Amino acid sequence: MSIQVQNLIKLYGDAKAVSDISFEVHSGEILGFLGPNGAGKTTTMRIITCYLSPNAGSIKVEGHDIQTDSLAVRKLVGYLPEQNPLYHDMNVLEYLEYTAQLQGVGKSYIPQRMREMVEACGLGEMKHKDIGQLSKGYRQRVGLAAAMIHDPKVLILDEPTSGLDPNQIVEIRSLIRELGKQKTVILSTHILPEVQATCNRVVIINRGKIVADGPIADLQRSLHGGEKVVLEIEFPDGQSFEMISVQFKTIPAIETVSLIEERDNVMRFSVETSSAIDIRKELFQLCVQKNWGLLELHRAQTSLEDIFRQLTSDVTK
Amino acid sequence: MNFQNIKNIYLKELRSFFNSPVAYIVIVVYLTILGWFFVSNLFLNNMSTLRTVFEMTPFLLLFFAPAMTMRSISEEKKSGTLELLFTKPIKEFEIIAGKFLAAWALYFFTLLPTLLYYITITSIGDLDTGAVIGGYLGLMLVGAVFLAISIFGSALTENQVVAFIVSLFIVFALFILDKVLFYLPPTLAVILEYISVDYHFSNIARGVIDTRDIIYYLSMIGFSLYLATSVLQKRRWA
C-alpha cells in the first residue's frame, strides 16, 4: 500500500473542507482525483504533502505517518501544486538545481537528474531563460520537472495539464502514464477525458466527501444499468417523430426514445433500454422491415461526464 | 538541524539579493548618506575617530533592516512558493536561519566599504584600533538584531509594505527605549534600559566588550528568529 488515507477531516474555521474521507492508493497506480471546484481536492493533496495539517484522521505514505514522520514523507513525495510555485527571477536550470538541493538529491546526481528532466519535459530550448519570461505551458513543464527531480516514489499532481496546449497535454499525459508504471501517482483534475486517458482508478469527491471510488469501467457499469444507442435514419416523406417512436416501442426492451436532431427527412434519435441488452440487431431489422434508410447506428457509452454529473449535482441526489 | 539546508536557502537568498537591484540600492544609498555625514564635519571636528560611522549606522539601520528583509518571507507567501518550501524536507527554522544569514551577509557587504574611512583616518591621524574593532563588532550585532526582528515582521504578512512598517515600528521602539527612560519610574527604567539596543551598543562602541552585552544581543537574535519560526509553524498547523 503506497498511500493510506483514513478518516481525514480538515476544517477551515467552522466549514468542513474535507469531512471524514478514506481511500487507499496502491503502488504503480494512477489515481484520478475528481470533483467540482471547492470539493476538497486541493486541500486533501496539501495534507498528504504536509503543507497543511489535518484536524483528525491519519495518512501514511509508504508506511510513514505525515504527522510523526513528516520529513520522510516529504523526501518521498514529488508535488506539483495547483498554483505553480516558481521563482520568476531564476532561470530554468537554476530553479531545477535549487529544488533538487532542497529535496536533498546528492550533489553528484544533480547534473544528471537535471539533464534527464529537461529532456523528459521538453525544456531543452528554454533551459537558460528566466522563468518569468516563459509561457504558461512551459512554466507548467518546469513545475513538473521540478516535482520529479528527485525521482520520487509518489507523485502528487494538482491539475498538471492546466494551461497547456493540446499537443503538450498529450505529451504530458503520456509522460504521466509512463511514470505511473513504476510510481504511485495521484492526479487531480476537472478535465474528465484526462482521467479516462490516464488513470486506472478514480475517486470522485464532492463537498468534502467521497461519492465514488473504483475503476472507471466499474463506475460506468454500476451507475447506469441500461444501454444507450444513437441512430440516424432517413425517412420517406410525411413521417412524424410520434409515429416513428411508436414503431420503436414495438421492441420490448426499449424504454425511452428521444429526438436529438431533425433536418429534412433525416432524424437522429437516442434510444435507451432499462437493462443491459444489446438491441442494435433488432433496431437494424426494424429499419430493414420498414424500409428506412439507416445512416448511422452506434452504442453510446455512459461517459465519465455523466457519472460525474450524476454524483456531484445536488439536484439528482 | 541540517546545515546543508540552511546553506541552500542562504545561497539562494544571497543570489537573489545580488541578481536584483536590492543589494546595489541598499549599498549605494547607505554609503551616500553615511558618507555625507562622515565628511561634512570631519575637518571641523578635527578628531581622528569613526564615531560618525558608529553613531549613524544604527539609526540608518532602522530603515534599512526592514527594507532589506521585507520581501524575505512575505514574497514567498504571496507568490505561493512557500508551498514549495513547506513540502520539501526542510524545517521551518532552517528556512528562517538561511534567510537571516543571507540578510546579515548583505549587511556585512554594505558595511565593508566603510573600512576605507578607517584606512583614510589612520593615514592622517592616530586611531584607537581596539575601539574600531569593538565598534564594528557592535554594528554587526545591532544589525543582526534588527534583521532578525525584520525577518519576523516579514513572516507575519504576505504584504511587503505591512512587513516593512511593522518591522520599522518594532525596531524603532527598541531604539528609542533608552531615550525615554527619563520619564519613567526608576525600577521600570532599569528593565527598559536592559532591553534597549542602543544602551548595549554604546558599551561595545567604546571598545568595551562585555559578555552581558553579547548575551543580550544573542538572546534578542535567538528570540526573534524563534518567533519567526513559530509564525511559520503556526501557519502550517493552522
Side-chain angles (χ1 to χ4, degrees):
Chain A
M1 200 66 56
S2 186
I3 301 174
Q4 256 177 311
V5 177
Q6 272 174 347
N7 305 103
L8 182 71
I9 294 175
K10 177 71 188 173
L11 308 169
Y12 289 132
D14 288 334
K16 268 192 179 174
V18 174
S19 54
D20 201 13
I21 69 170
S22 305
F23 62 92
E24 287 170 351
V25 194
H26 304 264
S27 338
E29 191 172 43
I30 305 181
L31 177 80
F33 208 45
L34 276 175
N37 292 324
K41 288 173 298 193
T42 298
T43 304
T44 308
M45 293 182 135
R46 282 179 162 177
I47 295 170
I48 299 174
T49 55
C50 309
Y51 180 59
L52 295 173
S53 65
N55 291 86
S58 81
I59 299 180
K60 284 205 167 75
V61 178
E62 298 278 337
H64 302 280
D65 188 279
I66 56 149
Q67 304 216 55
T68 56
D69 206 359
S70 166
L71 288 181
V73 172
R74 287 184 255 164
K75 263 194 148 73
L76 282 171
V77 172
Y79 174 44
L80 174 64
E82 186 179 15
Q83 191 191 359
N84 200 347
L86 300 171
Y87 293 100
H88 289 192
D89 56 346
M90 282 180 155
N91 75 31
V92 174
L93 289 181
E94 283 169 347
Y95 182 72
L96 291 181
E97 189 182 4
Y98 182 52
T99 50
Q101 287 170 345
L102 291 181
Q103 198 67 60
V105 178
K107 222 176 200 155
S108 50
Y109 291 112
I110 291 179
Q112 184 201 339
R113 285 302 300 164
M114 281 165 62
R115 265 199 307 279
E116 284 171 15
M117 283 302 106
V118 165
E119 171 92 8
C121 299
L123 289 164
E125 286 167 36
M126 302 295 165
K127 62 185 175 190
H128 295 297
K129 279 201 175 168
D130 277 358
I131 291 172
Q133 297 173 351
L134 298 181
S135 66
K136 179 129 197 278
Y138 273 107
R139 286 182 194 182
Q140 200 66 15
R141 292 191 200 196
V142 175
L144 258 176
M148 300 186 297
I149 194 85
H150 57 300
D151 198 16
K153 274 194 174 164
V154 176
L155 251 183
I156 296 183
L157 308 172
D158 202 348
E159 304 194 2
T161 57
S162 76
L164 300 180
D165 68 40
N167 291 332
Q168 293 168 338
I169 288 178
V170 171
E171 280 169 35
I172 295 294
R173 279 181 193 163
S174 70
L175 180 67
I176 293 170
R177 264 201 307 274
E178 196 56 42
L179 288 166
K181 285 176 187 161
Q182 308 116 35
K183 299 178 195 308
T184 309
V185 182
I186 300 185
L187 172 156
S188 91
T189 179
H190 43 234
I191 306 166
L192 297 161
E194 183 155 297
V195 176
Q196 275 167 322
T198 44
C199 302
N200 320 113
R201 218 181 96 205
V202 282
V203 165
I204 301 180
I205 164 171
N206 189 34
R207 292 170 177 252
K209 286 200 158 77
I210 290 182
V211 288
D213 179 356
I216 297 172
D218 284 7
L219 291 184
Q220 285 171 332
R221 254 193 307 262
S222 68
L223 280 158
H224 188 84
E227 292 258 347
K228 191 172 166 187
V229 174
V230 174
L231 56 164
E232 196 169 287
I233 301 172
E234 192 180 351
F235 293 102
D237 288 337
Q239 297 272 18
S240 75
F241 172 65
E242 284 73 26
M243 291 159 66
I244 293 158
S245 106
V246 171
Q247 297 291 336
F248 276 130
K249 292 273 174 68
T250 58
I251 300 171
I254 291 179
E255 196 168 62
T256 57
V257 180
S258 44
L259 185 68
I260 300 173
E261 183 179 32
E262 184 178 6
R263 61 188 145 77
D264 301 332
N265 285 335
V266 178
M267 287 190 215
R268 199 176 166 82
F269 306 96
S270 105
V271 176
E272 278 175 66
T273 62
S274 48
S275 53
I277 313 166
D278 193 352
I279 51 159
R280 285 175 297 175
K281 217 154 109 191
E282 283 85 347
L283 286 168
F284 171 70
Q285 276 161 359
L286 181 72
C287 292
V288 173
Q289 204 185 325
K290 302 282 176 191
N291 210 12
W292 297 338
L294 182 61
L295 301 178
E296 190 187 333
L297 171 67
H298 73 263
R299 207 163 158 199
Q301 280 221 320
T302 320
S303 66
L304 196 54
E305 221 152 315
D306 294 332
I307 301 177
F308 184 76
R309 271 202 222 104
Q310 276 184 36
L311 289 171
T312 58
S313 66
D314 301 303
V315 189
T316 54
K317 279 245 136 181
Chain B
M1 193 165 32
N2 183 331
F3 289 101
Q4 190 59 44
N5 286 340
I6 297 179
K7 191 179 150 201
N8 290 334
I9 302 272
Y10 164 79
L11 288 176
K12 188 257 160 193
E13 281 300 299
L14 200 59
R15 193 169 47 190
S16 77
F17 276 136
F18 283 95
N19 276 348
S20 69
V22 177
Y24 308 103
I25 291 176
V26 165
I27 292 173
V28 167
V29 173
Y30 169 76
L31 290 178
T32 309
I33 299 176
L34 187 73
W36 188 80
F37 281 107
F38 182 71
V39 174
S40 60
N41 51 12
L42 179 67
F43 296 104
L44 206 67
N45 289 346
N46 203 22
M47 288 200 306
S48 54
T49 168
L50 290 182
R51 257 182 63 194
T52 341
V53 175
F54 301 138
E55 278 171 4
M56 280 304 294
T57 300
F59 182 69
L60 292 176
L61 259 181
L62 290 178
F63 302 93
F64 277 96
M68 278 155 74
T69 55
M70 65 184 185
R71 266 183 102 237
S72 182
I73 313 277
S74 51
E75 180 68 15
E76 306 259 13
K77 281 189 173 178
K78 192 168 189 176
S79 66
T81 45
L82 200 64
E83 193 164 358
L84 178 85
L85 296 178
F86 271 11
T87 54
K88 299 285 176 217
I90 324 170
K91 295 192 174 119
E92 288 87 350
F93 177 71
E94 291 161 357
I95 299 174
I96 297 285
K99 284 179 178 277
F100 165 71
L101 290 176
W104 204 25
L106 172 61
Y107 172 61
F108 174 77
F109 290 124
T110 311
L111 280 187
L112 205 56
T114 62
L115 285 180
L116 281 176
Y117 300 154
Y118 172 74
I119 296 166
T120 316
I121 301 288
T122 42
S123 66
I124 54 173
D126 277 334
L127 194 57
D128 181 355
T129 306
V132 171
I133 292 172
Y136 274 107
L137 180 69
L139 284 188
M140 282 311 288
L141 289 171
V142 173
V145 172
F146 285 4
L147 289 169
I149 290 170
S150 306
I151 295 261
F152 163 69
S154 181
L156 289 175
T157 168
E158 59 170 52
N159 185 323
Q160 292 186 28
V161 178
V162 173
F164 177 81
I165 291 173
V166 168
S167 307
L168 178 67
F169 176 78
I170 302 173
V171 294
F172 188 73
L174 278 178
F175 185 75
I176 57 160
L177 264 185
D178 70 338
K179 281 135 195 115
V180 297
L181 296 177
F182 183 70
Y183 306 98
L184 295 169
T187 41
L188 198 59
V190 177
I191 300 169
L192 290 184
E193 189 177 61
Y194 184 77
I195 300 175
S196 157
V197 173
D198 222 26
Y199 166 72
H200 296 275
F201 177 68
S202 56
N203 288 343
I204 298 182
R206 276 188 281 120
V208 183
I209 295 173
D210 189 328
T211 34
R212 273 176 302 181
D213 300 323
I214 306 285
I215 287 170
Y216 163 79
Y217 283 118
L218 293 183
S219 49
M220 286 298 279
I221 296 164
F223 184 61
S224 303
L225 296 184
Y226 166 77
L227 283 183
T229 307
S230 334
V231 170
L232 283 195
Q233 279 166 344
K234 193 162 170 264
R235 186 193 149 98
R236 188 203 293 268
W237 304 115

